[in-house]
Each structure stands twice: as C-alpha cells, then as structure tokens.
C-alpha cells in the first residue's frame, strides 16, 4: 500500500498545474511579491485553515498558528511574526481567531498533567482565574469552555495592543486588531467585536512611550 503522505505530493502537482492553467504567471507573480493585508493568529488545530475558511488565496494572509491561538508577550516566535508583518509587510489588520471546541482550552480547564503543553496552557488558566466570576455562573461545562474560548481571544487582542510593535505602528498609521471565533460545527466565524484601534483602549499603565 502506498504511503499516505505521497498523496499530498501528488495533489500538489495537480494543484500547481491547475493554477498555471488558470493563469500562466500565477507563481511568477506570487514569488516576486508578498503584500498581505492581514496577519492571522490562529490555533494549530487542523480543522481551522486560515485561507480556506476565509476564501482567500496564497499571498493574502500572513499566518501564525500555535496551540490555542495564544498571544504570549514573551513568545519570540509570535513577536517575530508580528514585527515582520506590521513593520515590513505593513498589514492593516491583525486577526486573533480562536475556535469553539478547542482542545487546548479544554485541557486548560482540567487539573491533569498533560505534559509540556501544560506550561503553555497555563496562560489560559490565568484567564480563567481573571474571569472566574462570570465563568463560574455558567454551570454547563460546554458553555463555560465556549466562553473561555472567547475570553482567550479577547485577552489575545488586548495582549497584542500592549506590545511596543503595535503601539509604534499606531503612532503613524491605522492598524486594527480583531477578535474572532470559528465554529467547527457550522463553519462560520463570529466577530466578537472587540476591535482595538488605539492606545486609548488600554489602561494607562500599558500605554508605552514609543
Ligand atoms: Co484549538
């Protein structure tokens, strides 16, 4: 039996041929220039592919994904992606997109030792504690998990706004940060309307002299 990974390489050949058939210069154009308008920070979950669910093509979205779409202010990987996309690519929108039914968020809600990922997900436990009052009112475990997914996105948006990278950009131009949640069950994205537009949306202690 053929190894399953070979299917991916075969599909790739078909895909590339189709693109060239549609537009002979498709790859030439893409290779020459990358001008995405959006930075996407999403979950690594295989069911939430940024381009597919937003109907966008290669070249349109700069993507960073990690377990549970966290924005951790000491994460050099995320910060490098953020800086490059904001300062060099000059994206106009940053989108933090979580998803309902996120395994990472569920893991964060229990007290089991899941190994190394526990250290990463501790960030979500802190959010759980911060919003304990509203979360404890939700007696249904699923409803609580769904709300925690949303709160994690909201905190991600706020966390981005607290970075010097975003605040520096705000000095000279518009940069919008959005919080979205994708529904695995219906394929739809919900806009949480937590858009942060400027430094005035932050508590004074987070407003940096940049
Ligand atoms: Co997830």
């Amino acid at each position: 039996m053929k190894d399953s990974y070979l299917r991916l390489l075969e599909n790739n050949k078909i895909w590339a041929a189709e693109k060239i058939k549609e537009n002979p210069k498709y790859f030439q154009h893409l290779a020459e220039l990358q001008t995405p308008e959006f930075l996407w920070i999403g979950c690594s979950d295989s069911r939430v592919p940024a381009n597919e669910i937003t109907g966008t093509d290669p070249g349109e979205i700069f993507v960073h994904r990690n377990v549970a779409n966290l924005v951790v202010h000491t994460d050099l990987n995320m910060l490098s992606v953020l800086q490059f996309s904001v300062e060099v690519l000059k994206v106009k929108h940053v989108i933090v997109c979580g998803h309902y039914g996120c395994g990472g968020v569920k893991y964060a809600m229990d007290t089991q030792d899941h190994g190394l990922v526990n250290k990463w997900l501790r960030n979500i436990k802190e959010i759980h504690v911060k919003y304990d009052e509203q979360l404890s009112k939700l007696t249904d475990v699923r409803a609580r998990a769904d709300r925690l997914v949303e709160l994690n996105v909201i905190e991600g948006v706020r966390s981005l706004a607290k970075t010097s990278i975003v605040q520096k950009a705000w000095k000279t131009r518009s940069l919008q940060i959005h919080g979205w949640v994708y529904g695995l069950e219906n394929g739809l994205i919900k806009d949480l309307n937590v858009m942060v537009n400027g430094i005035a949306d932050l508590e004074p202690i987070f407003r940096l002299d940049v």
Side-chain angles (χ1 to χ4, degrees):
M1 205 170 80
K2 232 199 273 185
D3 282 325
S4 59
Y5 80 93
L6 290 172
R7 180 169 58 90
L8 307 189
L9 296 171
E10 282 163 14
N11 285 349
N12 167 255
K13 283 199 189 87
I14 296 166
W15 173 79
E18 273 172 8
K19 287 289 175 196
I20 288 171
K21 209 170 131 193
E22 283 167 26
N23 175 2
K25 292 198 165 164
Y26 183 79
F27 292 106
Q28 201 182 318
H29 284 314
L30 268 183
E32 279 166 9
L33 196 63
Q34 176 179 228
T35 55
E37 222 179 287
F38 312 97
L39 165 62
W40 176 278
I41 299 179
C43 184
S44 299
D45 194 302
S46 63
R47 299 164 295 181
V48 196
N51 280 120
E52 263 180 274
I53 65 173
T54 56
T56 46
D57 289 320
E60 288 195 87
I61 306 189
F62 201 66
V63 174
H64 175 78
R65 290 168 71 177
N66 63 46
V67 174
N69 46 271
L70 292 184
V71 179
V72 178
H73 74 279
T74 50
D75 177 4
L76 267 184
N77 188 352
M78 183 278 295
L79 290 172
S80 303
V81 168
L82 181 67
Q83 181 172 25
F84 182 73
S85 60
V86 169
E87 294 180 6
V88 181
L89 299 175
K90 306 212 183 299
V91 295
K92 298 188 178 96
H93 304 268
V94 182
I95 298 155
V96 181
C97 188
H99 66 101
Y100 296 117
C102 183
V105 171
K106 280 185 201 156
Y107 267 25
M109 290 173 77
D110 67 38
T111 52
Q112 280 184 54
D113 182 3
H114 297 290
L116 189 62
V117 79
N118 263 32
K119 301 183 194 314
W120 181 245
L121 298 176
R122 213 198 81 175
N123 295 290
I124 304 179
K125 286 185 187 291
E126 302 286 358
I127 296 170
H128 198 299
V129 170
K130 183 175 173 185
Y131 293 94
D132 201 38
E133 210 183 309
Q134 64 160 281
L135 286 169
S136 59
K137 284 183 191 142
L138 300 167
T139 46
D140 179 55
V141 180
R142 198 178 147 167
R144 198 158 68 235
D146 283 353
R147 184 58 188 151
L148 188 54
V149 162
E150 294 176 355
L151 291 169
N152 181 40
V153 167
I154 291 166
E155 284 299 312
V157 168
R158 290 180 50 75
S159 194
L160 282 170
K162 291 172 192 168
T163 64
S164 58
I165 299 163
V166 166
Q167 293 190 18
K168 256 185 218 164
W170 278 339
K171 290 267 169 192
T172 57
R173 68 181 181 94
S174 139
L175 175 66
Q176 296 181 347
I177 311 173
H178 310 264
W180 294 355
V181 179
Y182 174 77
L184 292 176
E185 286 168 4
N186 59 12
L188 295 174
I189 292 169
K190 177 178 169 185
D191 187 346
L192 296 178
N193 293 312
V194 287
M195 199 170 70
V196 178
N197 285 314
I199 209 161
D201 294 331
L202 288 174
E203 294 93 343
I205 200 166
F206 291 116
R207 298 174 196 168
L208 306 171
D209 296 323
V210 288

